[in-house]
Amino acid sequence: MSVAENKPAISYAEILRLAWPASVAASVTPLLGAVDVWALAQSSRPLDIAAIGLGSVIFSLAYWTFGFIRMSVAGLTAQAAGAEDEAEARAALVRGGVIGACIGVALVVLQFPIGLAAFQLLGTGSEASAETLAHGRTYFDIRIWGAPFALASYAAFGWLTARGRTDFLMAASLFMTLLNIGLDYWFVMGLGWGAAGVAYGTLIAEIAGFFAAMAFVLVLLKDHGGVKMHWRPQEFWKAERLSRTVAINFDIFIRTMLLAFCFAWFVQRSGAFGDVTLAANQALLQLFLFTGLALDGTAIAAETLVGRAIGARDRATGKARYVQAVRKTFLLGCIAAVLFTLFYWAAGSPLIALLTPEGPIREDMNAYMPWVIISPLIVVIGFQLDGIFIGATRSREMRDSMIVSAPIFLAASVWLANSWGNHGLWAAFSLYFILRAVTLAIWLPRIARSFDS
């Protein structure tokens, strides 16, 4: 009997143990955005929803662009864990944390030119009012100070995921979200600060979330030999290791920058239809993201399981477990997508009523809600493939997929929006996710073949 046959099979229970906390952790970010929408909708300044839509898109662009920190740390740590190399697993955490903190400090230092350029671009060709743009700038000026903490947290989150402790990831994310919700209520509903209140709540929560994540990292270090063990500082910046880290990070940087730009483009083009449609699209986008990121739980499970399979010393064992991870996470992801679609079909109107009061914003949300209803079926394949490619650290294919898909989306968004208005914009956005899935699926067999080389 082979080593692969002796190795216990990956069970659905193991996948669910990793996936459901990761789903909760991933979905709290758009849930927080939905709470922002709700708080502002109930306040005396409901059109500040459009303002935070403009302001937050800058952070989406920046933070998603630097999402390579979480992804590269997750992939490299999972492979180190599969090879039972504890020192390299810790080195991946240090490299990612230092890179994230340095980028965050650079964003703070360069905040004035970044803000000036970003709001000029967002205001170009937009029908958003001067007041909306001004409140969006206020949101940006406050929240930017949390960048070093938010980006350093990415390394901790990726590391916790790769070590199989998605429960710690969930706990840190929930703590940050619940704190932010409480601060939102106080600052917006209680003090009437509008977009500035949302920004202060997010800033405080991001700083607190960093310290919560690091506390869980310390707990996990104690469980793997102790906090003081397995450190090899001389290898943190070793040329060979650093070169691989930089190469992976650069490819995922390009990929994620294009992804974030496409989301930013969607929001900017929403502004062409006026403040009301911009506010409606911003609110619907939170539901869209909630669905996609909740589905990301099985993708995050795939990151961990695929990474460990790639790192396994016995190639036959690794390939067998890789195939199991791909098939079983795909199946669970697709089941979840169907359930989310049924949920939005049944509960879409009540959710909209919960988020917004009677009026034009609610009317627009109801008109475009069908795109959110079908979104789980559209995004699930691409999200799942992302997890597989991250675990395998196949960053070049992820980059190339986005290079192909993004320009097609940009062209389609202009053409379809001119023909069908905001429905055309949503149609182009959906096409974009389909293209991402198709291109990654074409390159998927390369990973299985790598086990035979």
Side-chain angles (χ1 to χ4, degrees):
M1 184 175 290
S2 68
V3 175
E5 291 172 326
N6 278 322
K7 186 75 174 181
I10 293 174
S11 66
Y12 286 109
E14 181 180 3
I15 295 171
L16 289 172
R17 180 185 64 79
L18 293 169
W20 79 261
S23 291
V24 174
S27 61
V28 294
T29 299
L31 177 61
L32 181 57
V35 171
D36 292 343
V37 168
W38 173 83
L40 289 168
Q42 312 305 316
S43 74
S44 60
R45 294 160 59 175
L47 281 180
D48 268 8
I49 296 171
I52 64 166
L54 291 174
S56 62
V57 77
I58 301 171
F59 292 97
S60 295
L61 183 60
Y63 290 177
W64 286 3
T65 296
F66 300 121
F68 65 78
I69 298 166
R70 187 202 71 79
M71 298 177 195
S72 64
V73 170
L76 292 170
T77 302
Q79 291 181 20
E84 299 180 358
D85 187 348
E86 179 65 24
E88 179 55 26
R90 297 187 180 206
L93 171 66
V94 172
R95 294 187 199 108
V98 170
I99 291 170
C102 289
I103 292 172
V105 170
L107 291 176
V108 171
V109 171
L110 298 172
Q111 62 179 284
F112 179 75
I114 291 172
L116 183 64
F119 278 94
Q120 284 182 341
L121 289 172
L122 288 170
T124 302
S126 174
E127 294 298 321
S129 66
E131 182 181 12
T132 292
L133 289 167
H135 288 168
R137 181 59 191 265
T138 298
Y139 174 92
F140 169 83
D141 289 341
I142 296 168
R143 188 178 168 188
I144 189 65
W145 291 94
F149 299 93
L151 294 180
S153 296
Y154 283 9
F157 289 161
W159 197 79
L160 291 172
T161 297
R163 303 312 298 257
R165 294 310 302 262
T166 52
D167 54 338
F168 285 173
L169 174 66
M170 177 183 68
S173 298
L174 284 175
F175 165 73
M176 184 168 58
T177 301
L178 292 174
L179 176 61
N180 204 339
I181 289 172
L183 293 172
D184 267 6
Y185 186 84
W186 181 24
F187 293 154
V188 177
M189 303 289 288
L191 301 179
W193 289 357
V198 171
Y200 278 118
T202 304
L203 169 64
I204 295 170
E206 284 177 340
I207 295 172
F210 165 77
F211 287 106
M214 290 310 299
F216 285 122
V217 166
L218 289 175
V219 170
L220 203 53
L221 289 175
K222 290 179 180 178
D223 290 343
H224 287 79
V227 175
K228 297 182 180 180
M229 299 295 291
H230 302 296
W231 297 106
R232 293 201 298 260
Q234 69 277 12
E235 295 192 7
F236 287 172
W237 311 108
K238 192 175 180 180
E240 179 185 350
R241 304 280 191 177
L242 185 59
S243 175
R244 186 185 181 206
T245 300
V246 169
I248 293 170
N249 280 339
F250 183 73
D251 287 337
I252 301 179
F253 167 76
I254 298 298
R255 171 260 184 197
T256 315
M257 181 178 66
L258 289 172
L259 173 65
F261 177 78
C262 288
F263 272 88
W265 178 262
F266 175 84
V267 174
Q268 200 277 344
R269 286 294 81 206
S270 297
F273 303 111
D275 282 351
V276 170
T277 299
L278 172 59
N281 275 5
Q282 169 64 11
L284 289 173
L285 190 60
Q286 303 310 313
L287 296 177
F288 183 95
L289 289 171
F290 173 78
T291 308
L293 294 178
L295 291 173
D296 211 24
T298 51
I300 290 174
E303 290 178 20
T304 302
L305 296 172
V306 168
R308 290 176 179 175
I310 295 288
R313 296 174 181 175
D314 183 88
R315 304 306 290 165
T317 298
K319 185 172 184 178
R321 290 181 65 79
Y322 165 77
V323 171
Q324 293 169 21
V326 171
R327 289 177 178 174
K328 293 183 177 182
T329 56
F330 254 116
L331 177 60
L332 291 177
C334 289
I335 291 172
V338 172
L339 293 176
F340 267 108
T341 294
L342 293 174
F343 170 73
Y344 276 136
W345 176 74
S349 294
L351 281 174
I352 292 172
L354 178 65
L355 287 172
T356 56
E358 191 72 43
I361 297 176
R362 183 188 292 187
E363 290 175 7
D364 265 23
M365 287 184 69
N366 277 306
Y368 304 115
M369 184 65 186
W371 293 105
V372 176
I373 293 174
I374 64 172
S375 65
L377 303 177
I378 291 172
V379 305
V380 63
I381 302 299
F383 274 56
Q384 199 62 39
L385 287 167
D386 274 345
I388 294 167
F389 278 81
I390 290 168
T393 58
R394 304 292 292 222
S395 56
R396 183 174 300 177
E397 288 87 348
M398 296 176 69
R399 178 202 65 193
D400 292 346
S401 169
M402 199 62 65
I403 289 174
V404 171
S405 304
I408 297 174
F409 162 64
L410 298 181
S413 67
V414 174
W415 177 54
L416 294 175
N418 286 338
S419 301
W420 296 315
N422 196 42
H423 278 297
L425 182 61
W426 276 101
F429 200 48
S430 300
L431 174 64
Y432 163 66
F433 284 94
I434 294 171
L435 288 170
R436 285 185 55 216
V438 169
T439 49
L440 286 175
I442 290 172
W443 290 315
L444 182 62
R446 294 181 182 180
I447 301 177
R449 289 198 295 268
S450 70
F451 286 94
D452 301 322
S453 59

